[in-house]
């Protein structure tokens, strides 16, 4: 059936596959389909299945030719892909090249077509050892513990109505009704807002009248005059002066619990004292710090590995990575996708512009994955069944699950190999740390380091 096949390598791990199908096989594909249509065709003036082939060709020839061509290409590609190494990536659909140059399969000549698709990239791994990288000196301090405790206090605080006659103050949560007045002192209905809630001092309101609200009592009305600079955040108010009538309808305050054993017990039954809670906070902070150190070391080492290696990320692989990132972005936003797109449009962005922003990091991430695969293939770090079980046991403890139940779930859903691969990657990273020199640099603050501000 296949008379000839030729693979031409293009840029970015793409190939052009040219296939020539023997003339007899090409013509047979067309004639077989034509005969099949002839058996079932109902054409006026002829009994069902008795219309001559020439009549069918006159009436349906173009459609039959197209269908036969598609089937011939599909069957040919299926055969060729079993024979060649350059198979398409799962997310790379072969596309016809030079479609206008396609011949007619019923002409009695060899039929030639070409498709373009992405293949797994050829990765030429450079050196991955002997580098020297520097990381800052960072330690968890009491200040870091105190900051986390303050967050816990905030999370366990209560919002209550302020006492009768109390005035609004910074950090209070107020509810207001407001409306803008025109030059004649009339209310502009389109600017009216009822039951608008914000925290005084955050300036999370259109007119940023936080300071003007301070000192107002519940049910008090006030006429506020505001002038805005030319570079004001909201363009509709930039360079303008306005009058706003504001009525405070509710004033609430946040009551923060004391830092004591009772708070620790409220957080979790596993804590009996504040000291227990503080100890666990330090453990979590140190684990986060160690994880961050691994990320920073990994990025620094892979920057050097990428620089000395050769590989081109296929377009379809990059597109799939960006689409996966987009789906995670949608899930994290907790909005329907169309609503998120509208929100981006308000900011002057689109899904396409977001992809352009993400593209460099997505490409780097794929290069890291591909290079790590090569390193693991070369070093062959061993992962035992005992290590896999230990990892599942650890996950069970962290998530408050029974080990046997979690292990059964992993086995039932075919996730055991995924755990093994994760462990293999960790060992691969540990190996990179061993093969390269890590130098301690200047001291850095924990929070700055964790937020990449050092």
């Amino acid at each position: 059936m296949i008379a000839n096949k030729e693979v031409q390598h293009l840029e970015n791990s793409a190939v052009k596959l040219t296939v020539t199908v023997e003339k007899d096989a090409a013509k047979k594909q067309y004639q077989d389909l034509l005969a099949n249509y002839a058996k079932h065709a109902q054409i006026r003036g002829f009994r069902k299945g008795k219309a001559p082939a020439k009549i069918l060709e006159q009436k349906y020839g173009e459609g039959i030719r197209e269908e036969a061509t598609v089937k011939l290409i599909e069957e040919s590609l299926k055969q060729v892909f079993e024979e060649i190494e350059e198979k398409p990536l799962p997310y790379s659909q072969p596309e016809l090249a030079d479609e206008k140059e396609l011949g007619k399969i019923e002409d009695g000549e060899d039929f030639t077509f070409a498709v373009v698709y992405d293949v797994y990239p050829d990765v030429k791994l450079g050196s991955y050892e002997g580098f020297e990288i520097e990381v800052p000196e960072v330690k968890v301090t009491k200040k870091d513990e105190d900051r986390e405790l303050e967050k816990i206090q905030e999370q366990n605080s209560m919002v209550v109505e302020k006492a009768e006659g109390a005035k609004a103050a910074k950090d209070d949560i107020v509810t207001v009704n407001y409306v803008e007045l025109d030059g004649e002192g009339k209310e502009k209905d389109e600017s009216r807002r009822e039951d608008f809630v914000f925290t005084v001092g955050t300036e999370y309101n259109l007119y940023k009248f936080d300071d003007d609200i301070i000192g107002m009592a519940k049910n008090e009305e006030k006429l506020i005059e505001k002038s805005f600079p030319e570079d004001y955040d909201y363009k509709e108010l930039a360079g303008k002066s306005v009058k706003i009538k504001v009525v405070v309808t509710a004033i609430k305050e946040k009551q923060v619990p004391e830092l004591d054993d009772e708070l620790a017990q409220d957080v979790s039954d596993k804590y009996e004292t504040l000291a227990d809670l503080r100890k666990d906070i330090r453990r979590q902070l140190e684990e986060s710090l160690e994880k961050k150190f691994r990320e920073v070391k990994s990025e620094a080492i892979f920057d050097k590995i990428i620089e000395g290696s050769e590989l081109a990320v296929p377009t379809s692989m990059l597109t799939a990575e960006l689409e996966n990132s987009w789906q995670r972005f949608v899930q994290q936003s907790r909005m329907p996708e169309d609503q998120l797109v509208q929100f981006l449009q308000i900011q002057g962005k689109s899904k396409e512009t977001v992809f352009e922003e993400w593209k460099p990091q997505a490409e780097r991430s794929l290069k890291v994955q591909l290079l790590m695969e090569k390193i693991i293939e070369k070093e062959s770090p061993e992962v035992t069944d005992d290590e896999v079980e230990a990892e599942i046991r650890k996950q069970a403890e962290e998530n408050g699950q029974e080990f046997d139940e979690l292990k059964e779930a992993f086995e039932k859903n075919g996730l055991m190999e995924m755990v093994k691969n994760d462990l293999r990657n960790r060992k691969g990273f540990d190996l990179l740390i061993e093969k390269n020199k890590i130098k301690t640099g200047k001291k850095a603050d924990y929070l700055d380091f964790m937020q990449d501000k050092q």
Side-chain angles (χ1 to χ4, degrees):
M1 178 178 179
I2 305 300
N4 187 45
K5 52 183 179 290
E6 180 184 346
V7 178
Q8 177 187 357
H9 289 267
L10 309 176
E11 294 181 348
N12 293 332
S13 300
V15 299
K16 180 178 181 181
L17 170 64
T18 303
V19 179
T20 299
V21 182
E22 294 173 349
K23 59 184 179 182
D24 291 342
K27 190 172 183 179
K28 185 175 185 300
Q29 182 72 250
Y30 174 77
Q31 290 177 337
D32 286 351
L33 188 61
L34 183 64
N36 185 58
Y37 270 95
K39 289 180 183 178
H40 304 93
Q42 184 74 56
I43 295 179
R44 188 173 182 179
F46 299 93
R47 285 183 296 160
K48 182 178 179 180
K50 298 298 182 180
K54 287 186 177 180
I55 299 295
L56 275 175
E57 285 187 290
Q58 290 174 5
K59 193 172 183 63
Y60 302 113
E62 189 62 33
I64 295 173
R65 183 181 301 111
E66 288 180 5
E67 185 178 343
T69 301
V70 170
K71 290 185 69 174
L72 180 65
I73 291 173
E74 288 177 349
E75 291 176 8
S76 301
L77 287 177
K78 185 178 179 182
Q79 178 181 333
V80 172
F81 287 149
E82 290 177 354
E83 300 170 355
I84 64 174
E85 293 182 2
E86 296 86 352
K87 295 175 173 56
L89 293 172
Y91 29 75
S92 177
Q93 184 69 29
E95 295 182 0
L96 272 176
D98 309 322
E99 189 170 354
K100 292 181 180 178
E101 302 297 321
L102 285 179
K104 295 182 178 181
I105 65 174
E106 77 277 22
D107 283 347
E109 297 181 0
D110 288 348
F111 177 75
T112 300
F113 67 93
V115 290
V116 176
Y117 57 89
D118 290 338
V119 296
Y120 194 84
D122 180 22
V123 179
K124 295 180 180 177
L125 176 65
S127 175
Y128 54 89
E129 56 185 309
F131 301 128
E132 179 177 293
I133 64 169
E134 182 177 292
V135 295
E137 180 183 349
V138 186
K139 293 182 179 179
V140 177
T141 65
K142 184 176 180 298
K143 180 182 73 172
D144 302 312
E145 294 177 15
D146 291 341
R147 183 178 56 251
E148 294 303 310
L149 282 170
E150 287 176 9
K151 289 182 184 177
I152 291 173
Q153 281 182 290
E154 284 290 320
Q155 292 166 0
N156 287 270
S157 61
M158 296 178 61
V159 176
V160 297
E161 292 276 358
K162 292 189 79 168
E164 189 69 30
K167 308 289 187 180
K170 188 175 182 300
D171 297 326
D172 283 347
I173 301 163
V174 299
T175 304
V176 299
N177 298 334
Y178 67 81
V179 63
E180 190 178 323
L181 306 182
D182 63 18
E184 298 177 356
K186 295 180 180 179
E187 297 180 357
K188 298 167 69 173
D189 286 337
E190 67 273 15
S191 69
R192 189 184 307 278
R193 289 293 301 272
E194 303 286 338
D195 298 326
F196 181 77
V197 181
F198 72 100
T199 300
V200 179
T202 61
E203 295 191 335
Y204 287 164
N205 57 82
L206 179 64
Y207 302 97
K208 297 187 179 180
F209 46 45
D210 300 53
D211 291 342
D212 305 282
I213 297 293
I214 292 175
M216 292 181 67
K218 183 179 178 180
N219 296 324
E220 183 177 344
E221 181 180 304
K222 186 175 183 180
L223 184 62
I224 299 172
E225 296 187 24
K226 302 284 287 187
S227 294
F228 303 100
E230 293 291 343
D231 60 350
Y232 189 60
D233 296 348
Y234 302 102
K235 292 181 180 179
E236 62 267 34
L237 294 174
K240 296 181 180 178
S241 294
V242 299
K243 293 180 180 180
I244 315 106
K245 184 172 73 175
V246 180
V247 179
V248 175
T249 60
I251 306 174
K252 298 180 180 181
E253 63 181 347
K254 190 180 292 182
Q255 292 184 348
V256 180
E258 294 292 328
L259 271 178
D260 53 22
D261 294 346
E262 185 176 344
L263 173 61
Q265 292 162 10
D266 287 341
V267 172
S268 174
D269 293 338
K270 67 180 181 179
Y271 306 128
E272 293 186 4
T273 66
L274 182 61
D276 294 337
L277 175 57
R278 185 179 283 275
K279 181 179 179 182
D280 200 39
I281 287 174
R282 175 169 280 270
R283 178 189 63 78
Q284 293 175 32
L285 289 172
E286 288 178 342
E287 286 181 356
S288 297
L289 178 60
E290 179 58 30
K291 183 178 178 181
K292 182 66 176 180
F293 267 131
R294 288 175 68 87
E295 290 176 4
V296 170
K297 292 172 186 176
S298 174
E299 286 182 6
I301 292 172
F302 270 106
D303 280 343
K304 294 182 179 296
I305 297 174
I306 290 171
E307 187 178 343
S309 301
E310 293 181 28
L311 71 161
V313 176
T315 301
S316 60
M317 185 180 283
L318 182 57
T319 300
E321 178 72 9
L322 289 168
E323 283 292 347
N324 287 336
S325 297
W326 173 259
Q327 292 306 319
R328 290 193 296 271
F329 182 50
V330 172
Q331 291 173 2
Q332 290 167 2
S333 74
R334 298 183 179 179
M335 297 185 204
E337 185 171 354
D338 57 347
Q339 188 176 332
L340 178 59
V341 170
Q342 290 176 2
F343 179 73
L344 288 172
Q345 288 172 346
I346 294 172
Q347 298 179 317
K349 297 183 178 182
S350 65
K351 182 177 179 181
E352 290 71 28
T353 59
V354 168
F355 274 23
E356 282 302 311
E357 291 175 9
W358 291 352
K359 192 174 179 178
Q361 183 56 41
E363 187 170 8
R364 185 190 184 282
S365 177
L366 288 169
K367 285 183 177 180
V368 168
Q369 291 177 34
L370 293 166
L371 290 167
M372 181 57 93
E373 286 177 12
K374 277 290 182 181
I375 293 169
I376 289 174
E377 179 185 321
K378 190 172 181 179
E379 296 289 339
S380 302
E382 183 183 355
V383 176
T384 66
D385 291 340
D386 289 343
E387 288 173 324
V388 172
E389 288 209 356
E391 175 63 20
I392 297 173
R393 192 176 298 280
K394 178 185 175 184
Q395 291 185 28
E397 291 173 358
E398 290 175 350
N399 297 306
Q401 295 176 272
E402 291 294 328
F403 165 72
D404 291 336
E405 291 179 3
L406 186 59
K407 182 183 177 184
E408 183 181 351
F410 273 70
E411 290 173 338
K412 188 175 293 184
N413 292 289
L415 300 176
M416 296 296 282
E417 192 59 34
M418 182 190 74
V419 176
K420 184 172 285 190
N421 285 334
D422 285 344
L423 289 171
R424 194 176 287 116
N425 280 334
R426 284 188 218 169
K427 287 194 173 189
F429 172 73
D430 291 340
L431 182 144
L432 288 178
I433 295 296
E434 292 172 9
K435 289 180 175 288
N436 294 283
K437 183 178 180 180
I438 312 298
K439 180 182 174 183
T440 302
K442 296 179 181 179
K443 291 184 178 180
D445 177 76
Y446 175 89
L447 190 60
D448 288 344
F449 179 65
M450 297 300 288
Q451 295 179 347
D452 295 319
K453 293 180 181 179
Q454 75 283 357

